[in-house]
Each structure stands twice: as C-alpha cells, then as structure tokens.
Amino acid sequence: MKRTNAYTSLLIILFFSSFTQAATMRQQGDWYGYWGWNNATYSDSDIHFKGEDHDFTLYNVSAHDHQTELSGREVYHSYLNPFRMTIPQYNWRFGYFVTNNWSVSLGFDHMKYVMVQDQTVDISGTILKPGFARTDPAVGQKQLTSDFLTYEHTDGFNMISLETEGYLPVWQWQDKFDVALFAGGGGGVLFPKSNVKLLSGERNDEWHVAGYASVLKLGVEATVWKRVFVRFLGKFGYADMSDVLTSNTGDKADQTFYFDEYVGSVGYRF
C-alpha cells in the first residue's frame, strides 16, 4: 500500500511538473486582438433624479439588455455586416503579454441597458412640474409610464476599461491547437449615450462620461489554428453612474448596480 501511494504521489508530481513546464502559445511580447458579442443582465437599482423642478428617487427599478436577435437574417444583416456590426451588443479588445500567460489589455464593451417600461416602483421626493406634481416627499408608488419616464443606455451602456488576465493552459497539441482557462479583472470609465425622456420633456441622448465600473472575469480560450482563437467568458461587474444626463438643460440622474456580461469572441495573436 505504501509503495502504491508512493507511485501515485510520484505520478502526480510528474504530471504537475510537466504541466507547469509545458510550452505555451501565449508568449511574452505577443499582442492579440478580438471582436465579439455579449448578453448582459442587471440588478435592480435605485435611481435618483434631480433638476430645477424635481428631486425624487425611484426604488428597485428593473432593467434588461437589448441584444439584436440572433437569426439567420440578422447574422448577415447586422452581425457580419461591416456597416451595421456595431448595432448588436459587441466587444473589442487589444492586449499585450507582459510575461508568458499574463496579459494587460484595453477594450470597449458595448452593452445596452433598458428600463422595464410600465413597472410599478416605490417613489419618494418632490416634483413641481405641472401635470406630474408631487408635493408630499413620503414614500408612495408610481407606475413608470412612457409619459413619465423612458430611461435607456442603449447607444449604449459603454465601458472603456483596462484589464489584466492570467492563463492556465490545460491542453496543447503541437503549435496549432490548445485550450486554456483564464481569470482576471480591471476597471474603467462608463461613457454612455443615454436615451432619457423625463416628465414629458425633450429627449436627451448626448455622449457623456457618467461614472465608472469595475469587473472580475473568468473564461476559457481555445486556439483553433495556430494564432486564431475563440473565447467565452463571464464578467461580473459593479457600475457607479453618478452623472447621467437626463435633459439638455443640466438635469441629472445617478444610480449604482451590479451586472453580469457573457461574451463570445474570435481573435488573433501576433
């Protein structure tokens, strides 16, 4: 029994020794880039609106993403059309390997955030605008009809981020194919073009730096032929949007929420 255990231990040591010393397809000094698409989910959030004639908060507001339908027609019409490929929720990223299996990168995540219309939520605060007047600041309920509020980051909920990730190769065949796990994190600015119409006012949709986000990520990457790869990953983030424009006259909103983003992409190392 002791000899069997010794052989087992030796095999485990030899396995991990060969594993850690195995050649990697992600070499120090390499660059890479990829393009992909995403789906996202968002936690409920409290949204505070403040302007010249209003100061109120909506509680536990629900939202969803708005990915372009994945159909045969849309694949050719939008996803693979160079003139429309930025309409679906998409991602791009360029990175550099600082050491073997460790990279830093700069990228852009184009997600979309759409408030669920006609939901009923709690509200507190005051509104002075005629037709929407609310003089008692105590908590009550409000249905979010389109004349009261439409609220979207659909052009979109954009994150420009610096990220880092470490890779763990788990299988490789010559210099042509491999599979690796990776994990990492990062953060950056949120630069949405928010589409907001509040209290039947003029719609606002200006580009604007509205806050920041931080993310953790976990995924798998497969080299499908030499330097061409595909990857699938999940990002788990926190968004602090403290400066959302809601009108063309300086009215603002602020909110914080968590989000999950699921990305599929294809790229090239060079």
Side-chain angles (χ1 to χ4, degrees), residues 141-213:
Q141 286 199 317
K142 179 65 179 177
Q143 185 178 19
L144 304 183
T145 55
S146 58
D147 62 328
F148 180 78
L149 175 67
T150 59
Y151 187 88
E152 305 177 359
H153 311 299
T154 47
D155 283 329
F157 176 53
N158 300 315
M159 179 174 66
I160 304 169
S161 62
L162 285 170
E163 297 178 7
T164 184
E165 53 197 41
Y167 297 80
L168 178 64
V170 295
W171 176 81
Q172 181 174 337
W173 184 72
Q174 299 181 358
D175 63 346
K176 296 180 176 62
F177 306 97
D178 89 330
V179 176
L181 304 176
F182 64 88
V189 298
L190 295 171
F191 187 58
K193 188 178 183 184
S194 301
N195 303 310
V196 181
K197 188 174 181 181
L198 176 63
L199 306 178
S200 290
E202 184 179 355
R203 175 173 164 167
N204 180 79
D205 60 352
E206 299 176 48
W207 294 101
H208 182 68
V209 175
Y212 68 90

Side-chain angles (χ1 to χ4, degrees), residues 211-263:
Y212 68 90
S214 56
V215 295
L216 297 174
K217 58 183 176 180
L218 182 68
V220 59
E221 181 177 283
T223 304
V224 294
W225 182 253
K226 294 187 176 180
R227 291 182 172 269
V228 178
F229 64 86
V230 295
R231 58 161 48 189
F232 301 94
L233 70 143
K235 285 187 174 182
F236 314 99
Y238 171 77
D240 186 326
M241 305 186 77
S242 59
D243 196 33
V244 179
L245 296 179
T246 59
S247 77
N248 298 319
T249 58
D251 297 339
K252 301 287 183 69
D254 65 85
Q255 63 179 144
T256 61
F257 55 88
Y258 295 95
F259 63 92
D260 298 338
E261 181 188 5
Y262 304 98
V263 185

Side-chain angles (χ1 to χ4, degrees), residues 31-247:
W31 294 82
Y32 68 91
Y34 69 74
W35 179 277
W37 299 273
N38 69 75
N39 285 105
T41 63
Y42 306 101
S43 67
D44 293 349
S45 66
D46 301 341
I47 311 176
H48 176 225
F49 296 85
K50 189 169 185 179
E52 195 171 299
D53 58 1
H54 61 274
D55 186 353
F56 67 93
T57 300
L58 303 176
Y59 297 94
N60 296 317
V61 178
S62 298
H64 55 79
D65 73 348
H66 186 59
Q67 179 58 285
T68 303
E69 178 188 5
L70 187 61
S71 64
R73 179 184 181 278
E74 285 298 336
V75 165
Y76 292 102
H77 183 64
S78 296
Y79 286 89
L80 301 180
N81 184 339
F83 300 104
R84 292 177 55 85
M85 62 193 305
T86 60
I87 291 176
Q89 296 174 190
Y90 66 89
N91 304 69
W92 62 256
R93 184 160 294 276
F94 291 100
Y96 175 78
F97 282 92
V98 179
T99 65
N100 291 357
N101 295 322
W102 178 40
S103 72
V104 294
S105 62
L106 173 68
F108 185 83
D109 295 43
H110 173 75
M111 296 169 276
K112 296 180 182 180
Y113 175 105
V114 182
M115 183 193 76
V116 175
Q117 204 66 60
D118 295 321
Q119 64 182 295
T120 298
V121 300
D122 287 344
I123 181 174
S124 67
T126 57
I127 303 172
L128 303 180
K129 186 171 183 177
F132 301 94
R134 188 178 196 278
T135 57
D136 183 355
V139 175
Q141 286 199 317
K142 179 65 179 177
Q143 185 178 19
L144 304 183
T145 55
S146 58
D147 62 328
F148 180 78
L149 175 67
T150 59
Y151 187 88
E152 305 177 359
H153 311 299
T154 47
D155 283 329
F157 176 53
N158 300 315
M159 179 174 66
I160 304 169
S161 62
L162 285 170
E163 297 178 7
T164 184
E165 53 197 41
Y167 297 80
L168 178 64
V170 295
W171 176 81
Q172 181 174 337
W173 184 72
Q174 299 181 358
D175 63 346
K176 296 180 176 62
F177 306 97
D178 89 330
V179 176
L181 304 176
F182 64 88
V189 298
L190 295 171
F191 187 58
K193 188 178 183 184
S194 301
N195 303 310
V196 181
K197 188 174 181 181
L198 176 63
L199 306 178
S200 290
E202 184 179 355
R203 175 173 164 167
N204 180 79
D205 60 352
E206 299 176 48
W207 294 101
H208 182 68
V209 175
Y212 68 90
S214 56
V215 295
L216 297 174
K217 58 183 176 180
L218 182 68
V220 59
E221 181 177 283
T223 304
V224 294
W225 182 253
K226 294 187 176 180
R227 291 182 172 269
V228 178
F229 64 86
V230 295
R231 58 161 48 189
F232 301 94
L233 70 143
K235 285 187 174 182
F236 314 99
Y238 171 77
D240 186 326
M241 305 186 77
S242 59
D243 196 33
V244 179
L245 296 179
T246 59
S247 77

